[in-house]
Amino acid sequence: AAALVLCVLALLAVIDAAWAEKRVALVIGNGSYQNTPQLANPVNDAEDVAAALQQVGFTVILQRNLTKRGMEGALAQFARQAQDAGTTLIYFAGHGMQYAGSNYLMPVDARLEDEFSVNFELTRMDDVLFALERTQGVKIVVLDACRNNPLTERLSRRTSSRAFAATRGLARIEAAGGMV
């Protein structure tokens, strides 16, 4: 976690001060999963990152162990607060997965029964990027996503589609202008 905090701070050090009038960050740590083994570090990592961001002038929305509805609400709150910010940052620690070339972040209440539940149980990375869409200046996304997700393996055994293949890691994210 300390190395991650140092990386975030180093990245912020290169941001032009003119864009830093208002800084807003959404920091999510999901570790208390209901349908897969819990993760020990995400909440602690999120708290450390939030503290570091506050030290460099960010208004931080810190959320822990969010359900699907909680993640949607946190993204909406962030999008509203970040509209006129010069620098915005979203940090997520928890389970993430790739399905059919798209990335998803896992809420703590996700229950994957088959490929149909992917879009309804998980938070689409596209929704995360949408929350950043109307912000100005520098946009930073940090995904500290655990890639060995037991639900992914279960889903790959149950799926009826050849489009699903259990992969380690996330698909490449095409960053819009001003996004890191």
Side-chain angles (χ1 to χ4, degrees):
L4 181 60
V5 171
L6 290 175
C7 288
V8 169
L9 290 175
L11 183 60
L12 293 174
V14 301
I15 295 172
D16 182 48
W19 285 359
E21 295 111 18
K22 180 178 179 184
R23 298 173 177 177
V24 179
L26 172 60
V27 178
I28 300 172
N30 280 357
S32 295
Y33 286 95
Q34 299 168 13
N35 300 302
T36 190
Q38 296 188 5
L39 298 174
N41 296 327
V43 171
N44 294 333
D45 292 348
E47 290 171 350
D48 290 345
V49 168
L53 291 170
Q54 286 173 332
Q55 288 179 358
V56 294
F58 274 82
T59 299
V60 177
I61 303 164
L62 173 61
Q63 299 289 321
R64 301 166 190 89
N65 297 315
L66 292 179
T67 63
K68 168 78 164 141
R69 184 69 182 129
M71 288 184 71
E72 291 167 348
L75 286 168
Q77 178 187 3
F78 168 79
R80 286 184 189 100
Q81 286 187 17
Q83 286 183 64
D84 58 345
T87 304
T88 53
L89 184 143
I90 295 178
Y91 171 86
F92 174 82
H95 279 305
M97 66 177 276
Q98 176 188 164
Y99 173 73
S102 295
N103 294 320
Y104 297 87
L105 304 180
M106 184 172 288
V108 296
D109 62 342
R111 180 183 310 251
L112 297 179
E113 300 299 325
D114 54 29
E115 68 268 27
F116 300 107
S117 60
V118 171
N119 285 318
F120 302 107
E121 296 285 328
L122 304 179
T123 299
R124 297 178 324 135
M125 191 63 203
D126 288 345
D127 293 337
V128 174
L129 298 177
F130 179 79
L132 287 167
E133 190 173 280
R134 296 185 64 187
T135 63
Q136 305 298 315
V138 177
K139 304 165 190 176
I140 303 167
V141 178
V142 179
L143 300 178
D144 186 7
C146 183
R147 299 174 298 164
N148 58 344
N149 186 340
L151 291 182
T152 303
E153 295 169 16
R154 180 172 52 187
L155 182 62
S156 68
R157 289 192 302 270
R158 292 183 178 181
T159 187
S160 62
S161 169
R162 291 180 184 229
F164 184 81
T167 58
R168 289 183 58 83
L170 300 173
R172 181 178 175 90
I173 297 172
E174 296 299 325
M179 184 179 301
V180 177

